[in-house]
Amino acid sequence: ALVPKPLAIPGAYENAKFAYTQASEHNPSSPEPHLLLAQLEVANENLDLARNYIREALILKEDYADAYVLLARIEVQDKNIKGAIASTETLAQIDHDNPAVYLELGILKSNDADSAGAIEAFSKALELLPDYANAKYYLALELEKVGRKAEAKERLQELLATNPDSVEIKQALE
């Protein structure tokens, strides 16, 4: 927390790196210090080194969900949407009952002009959590993009019933 701007406390990066490296040496089978080092490198704006630490964490724990979350965040920050999608798809395999993962995957696929993939991801989020308003909204937008206007309108009307004051939903319906 003390490494990135606006704080950027002198010595914070070096002290944190030393502490996390020591933790890794004292517990070499744990992936957590590697993930902490990756987070530190993100704060220090060194995304390549952060990716290396994530790889080390994943060598120790192949299904380390937190590592895939951070990797997706790094890829988005580095404007590598395909890399973020790949990381989030792996996360979805690990955490397959988490509707928020599918929402994120849908948003990433939508940003990559993959409407079919986005619709599939948003639909999966709604399968897991039928009242997930954000998933309904984004699904409606994707359905409209591919010409499935009646389905999009139905989703938006469902949302409007539970959010009658939402200007955004009313605008989307128009």
Side-chain angles (χ1 to χ4, degrees), residues 100-125:
V101 171
Y102 291 98
L103 177 72
E104 288 301 317
L105 182 58
I107 290 169
L108 288 168
K109 288 189 176 215
S110 176
N111 288 331
D112 195 41
D114 178 4
S115 288
I119 289 169
E120 182 180 338
F122 294 137
S123 296
K124 179 66 176 178

Side-chain angles (χ1 to χ4, degrees), residues 6 11 16 20 24 27 30 39 49 74 78-79 81 88 93 96 100 105 113 118 126 140 143-144 157 163-164 174:
Y20 295 149
S24 179
N27 192 359
S30 174
Q39 291 169 335
L49 192 51
I74 289 169
D78 208 20
K79 296 178 180 20
I81 299 300
T88 307
Q93 292 172 0
H96 52 81
L105 182 58
L126 286 168
L143 290 169
E144 195 276 330
Q157 287 172 335
N163 301 280
E174 288 174 13

Side-chain angles (χ1 to χ4, degrees), residues 55-145:
R55 285 186 200 101
E56 291 174 11
L58 291 172
I59 287 169
L60 294 171
K61 184 173 177 18
E62 192 175 309
D63 63 347
Y64 195 17
D66 291 342
Y68 288 105
V69 169
L70 181 58
L71 184 57
R73 193 178 109 212
I74 289 169
E75 298 303 355
V76 167
Q77 186 174 336
D78 208 20
K79 296 178 180 20
N80 177 8
I81 299 300
K82 294 214 184 294
I85 289 170
S87 183
T88 307
E89 285 175 334
T90 302
L91 180 60
Q93 292 172 0
I94 295 167
D95 195 4
H96 52 81
D97 290 332
N98 186 339
V101 171
Y102 291 98
L103 177 72
E104 288 301 317
L105 182 58
I107 290 169
L108 288 168
K109 288 189 176 215
S110 176
N111 288 331
D112 195 41
D114 178 4
S115 288
I119 289 169
E120 182 180 338
F122 294 137
S123 296
K124 179 66 176 178
L126 286 168
E127 178 184 312
L128 294 169
L129 186 61
D131 292 329
Y132 198 172
N134 287 340
K136 279 185 189 181
Y137 179 76
Y138 286 115
L139 176 60
L141 297 180
E142 287 302 316
L143 290 169
E144 195 276 330
K145 278 184 193 175

Side-chain angles (χ1 to χ4, degrees), residues 17-62:
K17 187 156 188 162
F18 177 77
Y20 295 149
T21 301
Q22 288 293 305
S24 179
E25 290 173 9
H26 289 293
N27 192 359
S29 63
S30 174
E32 188 172 9
H34 298 282
L35 185 63
L36 293 168
L37 283 161
Q39 291 169 335
L40 178 64
E41 293 304 336
V42 169
N44 199 40
E45 299 178 356
N46 190 342
L47 301 184
D48 289 334
L49 192 51
R51 285 183 187 96
N52 288 340
Y53 284 124
I54 290 172
R55 285 186 200 101
E56 291 174 11
L58 291 172
I59 287 169
L60 294 171
K61 184 173 177 18
E62 192 175 309

